[in-house]
Amino acid sequence: MPAALQFLKEQAADIVLLQEVNNGTDPSFTENLRAFEVLKERLDYPYADFAPAVINRLEAGKIQEGNAVLSRFPILGHDVHFLSGELSEHPYDPALAPAWPRNLQHVALDANGSEINVFNFQGVWDLDGDNFSEQRRRMSDTIIEQVKNKPHVILAGDTNAKPTNPAMRAIEEHLTSVFGNSLTTTFNMQRKDNPGYATAAVDLMYVSNDLRVTGKTCLDVDISDHLPLVVTLETTNPTKEKE
């Protein structure tokens, strides 16, 4: 938590998308179990939204885990769509994580007069990033149904799939992939012992054609088992301020 908080302070991004965020509320819980609360307390973000995907039963108690968006822009509205399963309780066992529910968090923001539609998700789990399973097909269909015809769309997260997977390629028929196939991996190999992760880029980002990418990078920093994506965007309308 200290390293992650310091990193986010230094980046000072307008919008932050996070996955696998714990939202425990008991003051006796450690900071990592109260991550959403701690992020709101320690960082300068006046607006925040949390979308629980699963309720983990730990020895300390029941803890919601899900996706979170932090924003400097006001939230106009929000909704959640499940990509697999539904919000439910499960014993906390990493071996069971592949079967946990996954969701798509949608937050509409007022960014200096422009409506920005932010979609944040953690994809259905499959160790084979190229496998085009029926579950991944449904995930892709759900995402496309939600993002199509909306203005200023940002879709990002831990997809748990490679960009070449047909499920992700289908999304590219509606949105532009920010990084394409340029990333070798988005895993922090300091925290992984499976060599397959070294060639797996699963943290991805897509934007609609009314947003322009003016900067992008994947930073090799040790704050998580994944590497963060940092992207600068602006609307294609020159009268609008940079987001």
Side-chain angles (χ1 to χ4, degrees), residues 48-231:
D49 185 71
F50 178 75
V54 63
I55 303 171
N56 289 318
R57 293 197 299 268
L58 290 83
E59 185 176 344
K62 295 179 181 180
I63 311 289
Q64 288 187 341
E65 179 187 303
N67 301 320
V69 171
L70 308 177
S71 173
R72 300 195 193 283
F73 303 121
I75 294 176
L76 300 173
H78 62 100
D79 52 75
V80 180
H81 301 270
F82 273 81
L83 303 174
S84 65
E86 59 184 17
L87 181 62
S88 52
E89 288 187 18
H90 297 265
Y92 182 74
D93 180 354
L96 302 177
W100 290 346
R102 312 289 186 184
N103 66 25
L104 174 70
Q105 176 188 26
H106 171 221
V107 180
L109 305 175
D110 178 6
N112 305 318
S114 293
E115 178 182 323
I116 307 295
N117 285 284
V118 176
F119 291 88
N120 180 28
F121 75 108
Q122 184 182 30
V124 297
W125 194 92
D126 189 325
L127 190 59
D128 182 351
D130 290 313
N131 181 30
F132 184 42
S133 63
E134 176 61 20
Q135 198 174 31
R136 275 187 170 139
R137 185 195 64 78
R138 291 196 302 269
M139 175 187 76
S140 181
D141 288 348
T142 299
I143 291 173
I144 290 169
E145 181 63 28
Q146 296 306 314
V147 304
K148 69 180 183 181
N149 302 322
K150 285 188 172 62
H152 301 127
V153 170
I154 301 170
L155 169 70
D158 172 9
T159 71
N160 279 316
K162 291 183 178 180
T164 50
N165 191 298
M168 308 315 297
R169 288 297 194 208
I171 292 172
E172 290 187 53
E173 296 178 14
H174 303 268
L175 302 173
T176 300
S177 175
V178 172
F179 290 88
N181 298 325
S182 64
L183 300 174
T184 301
T185 183
T186 57
F187 285 100
N188 175 11
M189 294 308 296
Q190 296 182 62
R191 304 195 184 197
K192 295 294 185 182
D193 52 18
N194 183 338
Y197 287 121
T199 56
V202 300
D203 299 274
L204 306 174
M205 184 172 184
Y206 303 82
V207 295
S208 52
N209 60 13
D210 53 5
L211 289 175
R212 180 186 297 114
V213 178
T214 62
K216 59 182 179 180
T217 187
C218 177
L219 295 176
D220 187 8
V221 293
D222 184 22
I223 57 172
S224 167
D225 63 332
H226 289 247
L227 303 177
L229 306 180
V230 180
V231 178

